[in-house]
Amino acid sequence: MTMDAPPSKIRKLDCSSVTKLEVHPILDPALTCETIASTSFQALNLVNKQVIGQIIGGLNELPESFQHLKRVGKDGSVLISETEESAKQIIIGLKNDGVRIEDLKTVLVPSKKPLTRRQFEVSKLLWSTAFHPNHDVEKLIDGSFLTDCLREYVIRYTQRVIEMGDGCIAVQSNSVLSSGCPSTHPLGHPVMEMVRNLQKRTGSDYLGTGSDVFLVNEPCAMCSMALVHFRIKRLFYVRNSKNGVLKDDGWQLHLEPSINHHYKVFRVNIHDESGSNLDNVDSNSLCTLAK
């Protein structure tokens, strides 16, 4: 494997000097997006609101892709159909004297279900929308997931992988399950060495099921897939790598729908008393191998 220039070393971490710890979850862009795509829909603006119940009773359910929409808007308008032509046919079929084709209007509705509270706040400005918050996702977005206990945990094991130089540590139940450093083997990346060093397991656990993995450098595709097979729960890494596949502007393998296991990914930024970031240079290495 052709090697680029070796990455700069990260200074050893003194927990007492850490003044700021930033743990950034690398999330699906669909969750971090604060805008909502809209599409047009035909709605019936009823003069007599008392017939709304009768009208809804005579309508088929909304298409599956629009199940997130409430049938009746804040102004009492009723969603009928995606197209004007089909909406007219539906109104004719209702055979209700209180409903006229002339009462049809075009409205904008959210084309997709809101996934976060921020998206819900935007969505409901267009049309009334159902929303069931995912509390774990909301904590990742607003930062409340980083409790004091988790902060100390991340600092402790981030310090250990930095002290290893370019290490990889798997932690299960707050104990080190396995660890590894780069070797001269062509596939001797830190993650692969950690997997190789794992003691033979007994029982029902599959390799490192539910473990957390700490790395200095963002893993490459091979290592990221190895962590899929390892069945980890979370990955914490300190700096981006040239051929890493998890960062925001990359492939983001951990979000790939076709894989059979997914894990959460966090990038750790640590600042010391001087205010400098202990990770101020991204790695140019190819999932850093030992020199």
Side-chain angles (χ1 to χ4, degrees), residues 232-261:
I232 73 168
K233 179 181 179 181
R234 298 180 294 192
L235 170 66
F236 299 88
Y237 76 91
V238 179
R239 60 182 178 185
N240 294 334
S241 299
K242 180 178 179 180
N243 68 335
V245 294
L246 304 177
K247 65 178 75 69
D248 290 324
D249 59 353
W251 174 18
Q252 297 191 292
L253 180 145
H254 64 296
L255 302 175
E256 175 61 46
S258 62
I259 61 177
N260 61 3
H261 175 75

Side-chain angles (χ1 to χ4, degrees), residues 164-168 179-183 188-190 193-194 197 290:
M164 293 168 67
D166 182 14
C168 176
S179 62
C181 287
S183 73
H189 297 196
E193 291 300 309
M194 180 275 291
N197 294 335

Side-chain angles (χ1 to χ4, degrees), residues 16 22 109 116 126-127 136 145 149 168 185 199 214 235 244 260:
S16 64
E22 297 173 338
V109 299
T116 68
L126 293 175
W127 191 266
D136 289 337
F145 73 94
C149 182
C168 176
H185 188 281
Q199 295 183 1
F214 292 82
L235 170 66
N260 61 3

Side-chain angles (χ1 to χ4, degrees), residues 67-80:
Q67 287 292 309
H68 59 284
L69 300 175
K70 293 187 177 180
R71 196 86 204 213
V72 182
K74 292 181 180 179
D75 64 351
S77 298
V78 180
L79 293 180
I80 300 295

